[in-house]
Structure formats: C-alpha cells, structure tokens
Amino acid sequence: MTELATRWLGLDLRSPLVVGASPLTDDLDALKACVDAGAGAVVMHSLFEEQLVAEQMAAHKFIDSQINRDAEARSYFPESEIFEVGSHSYLRRLELLRSKLDVPVIASLNGVTPGGWTHHARELEDAGAEAIELNLYDLATDPSDTAATLEKRQLEVVQAVVAQVSVPVSVKLSPFYSALPAFVTGVEAAGARGLVLFNRFYQPDMDLDELTLSRDVVLSSNAELPLRLHAVASLFRRTGLEMAVSGGVHSGDDAVKAILAGATVVQVVSALLADGPEALGRITEEASRRLDRMGYNTLAEARGALSLDNAPNAHTWERLNYARLLQGWR
C-alpha cells in the first residue's frame, strides 16, 4: 500500500485526508471516529468576527435597556458567565479538541477587519491552534468597491495576521478572482504558508410559496471537483504555497485526482456529513489502493503528476479545450 504520510504547513500528518471546517467541530465523538479512520488533521469551523460583534452589540443593548429602571439598576447587570459574549466558547472548544485528539487541530477564522482578525488570531494561537486557516469570505455589494480595492484589503488582512502569530497560516479562497495566479502571488508575499481551494458559498435560495429566503445547506458532489483540480494544476510549481483541495471529494479516486493535480492535502466535509466518519476510512483505503495500483510508493511521487506542467496533454487544462468540448458534446 502507498505510504500516505505527508507534511502540511510544517505539520507532520499521517494522511492527506483532513476533516475540513464543518459542524463536526461540535461532535467530539465523530471527530475521534474520523481520526481513528485515518484523518491527518482537523480544521475547526470558522470563528466569525461579525457574529461576535453582533453578540456583543446585543449584550450592550440588553444592558442599556436596564440602566434607567431605578437608582439601583446597575447592581443587577447579568453575570458574565450567564450572558457570555465573545470567542470564549470557541477557545474552550479548541483547547478541548487539542487535549482529546492526537492529530493537529487547525483553527479557522472568518473576519472582516484587520484589527479584528489579528486580535482573534492571537487568541487562537494562545489557545493551542497548531495553524490558522483564514477564510477570505468577502462579498462585494458596494459599487464603489472594485476588485483591486477588495483584493488589497484582503492581502492587508493576511499580512496583518501573519505578522501577529508564529503558527503557520493558510488562506481559504473563493473561486471568483479574475486573475487567481496574481492574487496567489500576493498571498504568498504576505507570508502565508498554504492555500485552501475553494470556499463553498452557502447562499440563500428563494421559497416562492412563502415569498421568503431559505437557508438550506446543500452538500457538495464530485461535480464540483474539476474547478478545484483546474486551479491546483494551474498553480502547481507556480507558487511556493502548499495547496489543499476543499469541495467535491467523496471517494478515494477524487482524493487521488487532487494529489495528481498538485494538492498536498484534501479536505473532506460533505461526505462525512452524509455518510458519517466511516466515509473517511473508506476514502483513505480507496486512495491508498489506487495509488498503489498506479505504482506510486509515496504521495510525493504522485503529487503534481498531472499538473499543467507535467500532464502529457497539458493543453487540456487550457482554453483551447473549451472549443473541443463544445464540438464533441454528443
């Protein structure tokens, strides 16, 4: 069987299969089962800066509403442990996972301001995070906010966080950059160690019967994988950043494709939510057997074998293939 040990962000992993950011963070037994099934690391769900701000504002509003009830109103403000706001529960969860899991635990941070990002990043490092995944989920809704200003703001955030922590930082991107390689160059210059490609946007749908917006979670399918493969294959050897594929990995063959494109690790979420932790064991075994049949002894031998630079028909990754696909669609 092919040896699956690898290194991601300077961390030694027993396997390239990583539990991605998801609600599984709150299920310790499920995470333990994933580790037993071969997970190389665990990424916690994101700590959202704007959610913390909203909680803090709600707390202030509640307290302010009590101030003028009578002269002694200030004496019956709620105790902090009763009305908890901030990142405390997330940090406690991080400390628990670090103590109970024998694989690296990576914290995930989704923020909106450089100050907020750096403050919470330091908290995550102090709580024991072995790396931090920055989730650059930034939707432009202001017509005056150009692609250049948005990207500049995001790169400033990456640079600020990297400057404040000593643990490695990876950056999770959306697929919606008009010039992804150029932006990745900026991410690398800002000091990040890795890329996670790509973020999946959980956007609201419309309920036409109720005339409301619905927020149902739609799990991924492997139909989403080619977008990730194309990006990783195009960036391999063109950036010094290590890359993780996130989204669309449901089988061992999906994981192997990501490695052959140039990924160092593969994050799995939807398959675990749909089929339970045993799915990770199945994917791990399938990937190892496939790589073994292909003649690879280690992941390093397989990594990037079908990237843009190494694929025998590399033009298939490029625009020319679009016309051929249209001509041969039948």
Side-chain angles (χ1 to χ4, degrees), residues 294-305:
M294 297 174 73
Y296 293 113
N297 295 313
T298 66
L299 288 180
E301 294 177 5
R303 186 172 298 117

Side-chain angles (χ1 to χ4, degrees), residues 107-138:
S108 177
L109 179 60
N110 188 318
V112 293
T113 64
W117 286 72
T118 54
H119 169 71
H120 294 307
R122 287 194 297 269
E123 287 186 326
L124 297 175
E125 180 180 27
D126 291 342
E130 293 174 81
I132 294 175
E133 181 177 286
L134 285 183
N135 192 337
L136 294 184
Y137 191 112
D138 194 352

Side-chain angles (χ1 to χ4, degrees), residues 8 22 42 53 58-59 94 130 141 147 154 170 175 182 196 238 255 278 309:
W8 166 244
S22 75
V42 169
V53 171
L94 170 56
E130 293 174 81
T141 56
Q154 291 185 338
S170 62
V196 182
R238 287 169 167 77
E278 56 269 23
D309 288 339

Side-chain angles (χ1 to χ4, degrees), residues 10 15 102 113 117 150 170 221 247 261 266 282:
S15 162
D102 62 352
T113 64
W117 286 72
L150 186 148
S170 62
S221 73
V266 178
R282 170 182 56 80

